[in-house]
Amino acid sequence: MIPFVGLKNGVHDFEFEISDSFFEAYEYSSITSGNVHVQLSLDKKETMLIGVYTIKGTVSTLCDRCNDPINVPVKGSYKLVYKFGNEEELDESLVVLHPDTYEIDAEPAIYEFTTVSLPKRLVHPQGECNEEMMEILSKYSVNGSEEDDDEDEDWDDDEFYDDEEE
C-alpha cells in the first residue's frame, strides 16, 4: 500500500523487489516464482495520480510443451491512471478511487503487469524440454503425413456450409 495523502503534488518514485512469496499469494497464478524489480513513478496531481510501472526481472512458469519449469525474462513499462470519483470505469488503464481513499494498493497492478509481460508462447529452447515427456507426446500425437494431406484437399468448405443452411 502506498499512502498518497501526505505527498505533495509532483513526481514521487517507489521501488519494490518482488520475490517468490509475492507470487505464492496468487492461488491460480501461472507464475510460480520470480525475482522482479519494479519502479513506480507516481505523479500526484489535484484530481488524479498517474503511475508508470516499470518492471524487469525473471519469473518461473511452466513450459507449454513439456510442462516442466522454465525461467522467463519479463520486462515492460505500463501506465495506470488513478482518478477520484464514484462512477465505474471500463477503461483498463484507469482506476477510480473513492474520494475518501488515502492509499493505493499497487500489488494487483504489479501482478497484472508482470503477467502480461510474459511471452505468448512459453517453451524451452529446442532440445531442452523434458525428454520423457517429449517421448510421451510423440507417442500419442497424430503426425500428419503426405497421404493425409491429400485427403484434406477433397474437403469443400462451401458444400459444408450449404448443407448446414438447409
Side-chain angles (χ1 to χ4, degrees):
M1 295 294 229
I2 302 171
F4 58 82
V5 171
L7 298 177
K8 294 180 181 180
N9 285 351
V11 178
H12 305 274
D13 293 317
F14 302 90
E15 292 192 28
F16 306 96
E17 293 299 328
I18 306 303
S19 63
D20 297 352
S21 59
F22 177 83
F23 297 107
E24 289 169 2
Y26 289 89
E27 189 174 345
Y28 298 104
S29 176
S30 61
I31 299 172
T32 56
S33 62
N35 291 307
V36 180
H37 179 78
V38 180
Q39 291 179 294
L40 169 57
S41 178
L42 191 63
D43 187 2
K44 183 178 180 191
K45 302 190 181 288
E46 288 296 323
T47 59
M48 71 177 73
L49 301 153
I50 301 171
V52 176
Y53 293 81
T54 305
I55 64 166
K56 184 176 183 179
T58 303
V59 297
S60 182
T61 186
L62 298 177
C63 175
D64 291 339
R65 187 181 302 132
C66 70
N67 211 35
D68 271 5
I70 181 174
N71 291 326
V72 180
V74 289
K75 182 179 178 182
S77 187
Y78 305 92
K79 183 177 178 181
L80 195 55
V81 176
Y82 300 90
K83 77 171 194 170
F84 300 100
N86 291 316
E87 68 281 352
E88 295 231 357
E89 187 61 49
L90 298 177
D91 186 350
E92 292 178 352
S93 63
L94 182 64
V95 176
V96 179
L97 301 172
H98 189 274
D100 295 338
T101 303
Y102 62 92
E103 60 188 4
I104 295 173
D105 184 3
E107 185 178 311
I110 291 170
Y111 176 75
E112 182 176 337
F113 295 146
T114 303
T115 302
V116 299
S117 295
L118 291 171
K120 292 178 192 173
R121 186 145 160 84
L122 303 165
V123 293
H124 289 106
Q126 191 68 29
E128 291 185 25
C129 278
N130 177 325
E131 288 182 28
E132 184 179 336
M133 180 61 75
M134 295 309 295
E135 286 177 22
I136 293 170
L137 286 172
S138 174
K139 180 179 176 182
Y140 291 104
S141 64
V142 178
N143 293 326
S145 66
E146 288 182 27
E147 292 175 13
D148 293 339
D149 291 340
D150 292 339
E151 291 175 16
D152 289 341
E153 290 177 13
D154 294 336
W155 181 262
D156 186 358
D157 287 338
D158 291 334
E159 288 179 21
F160 174 76
Y161 290 116
D162 288 341
D163 291 344
E164 239 182 25
E165 292 175 4
E166 291 176 6

